[in-house]
Amino acid sequence: MSAIYQEKYKKNFVEEFLFYIHQNLAEKYPIIDPFLGAYELEKGELKIKETEKSSEFIKPFKIAINDFIKKINFTTEEKEKISKIIIEEGKDN
């Protein structure tokens, strides 16, 4: 998804996503504000630093991902590529 986003918008997906969270969702869900340092998002991997708070972190983070993806407006072809990637990654687990 990151590569498709970068190709489409010529911007870094992670930086844009984290800024989106800070700008639009951090007030409602302070735990996911990237500037508080509770987690890292690098190379597509989420690392929660404050593991004792992980249960309250996951739901708002999923909301952030879904909201950001809706904002992107992927084409049907791009959505198919992403779906294939997700399915393939799911097979590895």
Side-chain angles (χ1 to χ4, degrees):
M1 183 165 38
S2 179
I4 294 169
Y5 182 88
Q6 182 131 1
E7 184 178 311
K8 183 177 186 117
Y9 293 103
K10 309 297 185 234
K11 296 179 180 179
N12 182 290
F13 175 82
V14 172
E15 289 176 7
E16 292 290 308
F17 176 57
L18 294 176
F19 186 70
Y20 175 82
I21 290 173
H22 177 70
Q23 200 172 41
N24 298 289
L25 298 168
E27 189 172 316
K28 186 173 183 179
Y29 306 110
I31 193 162
I32 63 170
D33 188 340
F35 295 109
L36 296 180
Y39 65 95
E40 289 180 3
L41 187 61
E42 287 186 25
K43 299 178 186 172
E45 286 189 30
L46 173 65
K47 295 178 185 172
I48 301 172
K49 293 179 182 178
E50 298 179 20
T51 55
E52 68 279 354
K53 294 183 178 181
S54 62
S55 62
E56 62 185 270
F57 176 88
I58 298 299
K59 185 177 178 184
F61 196 79
K62 284 182 179 179
I63 291 169
I65 291 169
N66 289 329
D67 284 359
F68 190 71
I69 289 171
K70 287 176 190 172
K71 173 183 125 23
I72 295 172
N73 294 322
F74 285 121
T75 64
T76 302
E77 183 181 313
E78 290 165 337
K79 288 177 186 175
E80 288 172 3
K81 279 184 187 178
I82 292 166
S83 293
K84 286 179 186 176
I85 292 167
I86 292 170
I87 290 168
E88 288 302 313
E89 286 179 357
K91 288 179 184 177
D92 292 341
N93 294 328

